[in-house]
Amino acid sequence: MTMTRLLAGTATLALLAGPLLAAGAAADTWRYAFEESMDEVQGQYAQKFKEHIEANSDHEIQLFPYGTLGESADIMEQTQSGILQFVDQSPGFTGALIPEAQVFFVPYLLPTDQEKLGRFFRDSKAINEDFQDLYAEQGLELLKMFPEGEVAMTTKSPVEGCDDLNEVKFRVMTNPLLVESYRAFGATPTPLPWGEVYGGLQTNIIQGQENPTFYLYSNKLYEVTDYITYAGHNNFTTAVMANKDFYDGLAAEDQQVIQDAASAAFDFILDYQKGLAESELAKIKEAKPEMTVTVLTDEQRACFKEAAAEVEAMYIDMTGERGREILEQMKQDLAAVE
Ligand code: 6CS
């Protein structure tokens, strides 16, 4: 058992022993866990959500940043069982629970233009209606999905095309389609929870990983890798949800406050991220001037794009008709924001 899990177990027991165990409408302190720190994007969203709820109702929100209650899988379990009322879990970790949410890992499906992406997340029927039912089947009320920026690969050796990923043990989130994606790119995918990534790179158990630029800086990934490569293949998406029994048991005005808080935080977080990737990349270069940053050319991206078709076919194999419908709806929604 890792130290994080041990601490998570202890923290969860403390919660269970407390008087606030019931997740029903009577609870006036609502617990909200997320996968990042207070200063990172999910933490900023959560603080805005809390601010709105507390300013517009009698309820309080208690925030649990990454590590305080365990890994992503732990906080999802705690939310499904009603120990937590709210959770931010990225589809990168929701693959086994909601296979259709793996659609976010079909390479080159989403645009890298953040403004376009924001409009897509705001208006998409797939995001705002179809996914609601899929999450509801797992006892979750989906409140919002939002983007956290284009992901970049960080590695110990240069990546100028798929051939350079050959033999690279590349950490991915624990998501079957993401595993297949990196296999199709030519790497050896290694699914790991977040807590094992820095140490894994340091000890050379893995030699690469991907994440949005702000996260590369805040987690000092430049200390354990030497190359940052942008292939434009994906954006990091995350999802905020509530325990559905808790949500359904609330008075209509409380549900409205929650929906309004989720929307206010959504507007805030899109705005907050303007220029963030650029400012955080500049900080990385300042912290480590010898870090090599490469934006792949169209030619260098060709093999990643070829692999995308294969990954899309695997997504359909894994998810069947429902997955196909979500994918088609997403393509229509994306065309509408072009
Ligand atoms: O790669 C990960 O596991 C993490 N990446 C981000 C941007 N947020 C949370 C997640 O755990």
Side-chain angles (χ1 to χ4, degrees):
M1 187 186 269
T2 64
M3 185 52 79
T4 317
R5 278 183 174 258
L6 193 64
L7 290 173
T10 314
T12 308
L13 281 178
L15 279 176
L16 282 168
L20 296 171
L21 176 63
D28 59 2
T29 296
W30 297 336
R31 293 179 290 277
Y32 177 145
F34 46 99
E35 301 168 322
E36 296 174 7
S37 72
M38 286 288 199
D39 295 337
E40 292 171 331
V41 171
Q42 291 182 17
Q44 293 292 321
Y45 181 99
Q47 288 176 75
K48 191 48 89 177
F49 181 87
K50 170 183 164 77
E51 196 183 297
H52 189 98
I53 297 273
E54 293 182 353
N56 292 285
S57 77
D58 292 339
H59 302 291
E60 282 181 12
I61 301 276
Q62 193 178 3
L63 296 178
F64 293 93
Y66 172 74
T68 51
L69 296 179
E71 286 287 352
S72 188
D74 302 312
I75 57 177
M76 174 53 95
E77 241 176 73
Q78 292 156 21
T79 306
Q80 284 186 298
S81 66
I83 295 172
L84 298 173
Q85 282 73 47
F86 300 99
V87 69
D88 184 332
Q89 188 189 54
S90 306
F93 294 108
T94 317
L97 199 63
I98 305 168
E100 293 83 355
Q102 298 182 104
V103 72
F104 295 102
F105 299 98
V106 173
Y108 298 103
L109 178 63
L110 298 176
T112 48
D113 180 310
Q114 297 300 302
E115 201 263 325
K116 215 179 273 179
L117 200 58
R119 277 189 284 131
F120 164 72
F121 274 89
R122 188 188 304 280
D123 299 337
S124 162
K125 175 180 177 291
I127 302 283
N128 297 302
E129 293 178 32
D130 303 348
F131 269 117
Q132 302 277 338
D133 296 341
L134 295 167
Y135 278 74
E137 284 170 19
Q138 302 304 327
L140 298 161
E141 178 72 26
L142 178 63
L143 297 174
K144 273 288 174 253
M145 285 184 166
F146 62 88
E148 295 193 45
E150 179 184 343
V151 296
M153 298 180 255
T154 58
T155 48
K156 292 173 181 243
S157 50
V159 176
E160 287 169 4
C162 295
D163 288 348
D164 294 322
L165 288 175
N166 190 15
E167 311 263 303
V168 173
K169 287 205 199 79
F170 201 100
R171 178 270 176 173
V172 290
M173 289 181 281
T174 53
N175 178 300
L177 197 71
L178 193 52
V179 168
E180 291 310 328
S181 194
Y182 269 89
R183 211 191 301 286
F185 293 165
T188 305
T190 311
L192 288 174
W194 173 247
E196 293 176 38
V197 179
Y198 187 97
L201 287 164
Q202 203 171 28
T203 53
N204 207 33
I205 288 168
I206 48 173
Q207 295 92 36
Q209 68 87 45
E210 63 165 30
N211 255 307
T213 308
F214 81 86
Y215 209 65
L216 306 181
Y217 178 68
S218 54
N219 290 282
K220 297 190 165 65
L221 285 163
Y222 53 85
E223 291 179 348
V224 284
T225 48
D226 301 311
Y227 297 86
I228 296 181
T229 308
Y230 293 91
H233 63 294
N234 206 357
N235 276 271
F236 194 95
T237 297
T238 199
V240 177
M241 57 216 105
N243 172 294
K244 192 159 170 49
D245 288 342
F246 153 75
Y247 184 84
D248 288 347
L250 292 173
E253 65 263 31
D254 279 342
Q255 290 183 348
Q256 193 57 52
V257 170
I258 290 172
Q259 292 297 337
D260 292 347
S263 296
F266 177 84
D267 290 343
F268 166 79
I269 209 63
L270 291 191
D271 205 42
Y272 173 84
Q273 290 184 77
K274 284 184 187 150
L276 186 66
E278 292 75 12
S279 65
E280 304 314 274
L281 186 60
K283 290 181 195 167
I284 293 174
K285 285 181 182 160
E286 200 183 322
K288 183 171 170 178
E290 65 275 27
M291 191 86 192
T292 303
V293 180
T294 308
V295 178
L296 296 188
T297 62
D298 283 347
E299 208 178 314
Q300 289 169 321
R301 290 176 191 208
C303 67
F304 294 97
K305 290 194 172 164
E306 271 164 37
E310 197 184 314
V311 179
E312 183 172 319
M314 279 188 239
Y315 168 74
I316 304 286
D317 275 357
M318 283 180 189
T319 58
E321 203 39 48
R322 288 181 96 180
R324 186 193 299 278
E325 282 170 15
I326 288 265
L327 178 64
E328 285 316 314
Q329 186 61 51
M330 276 179 73
K331 286 183 178 174
Q332 275 183 37
D333 298 346
L334 285 163
V337 295
E338 280 301 327

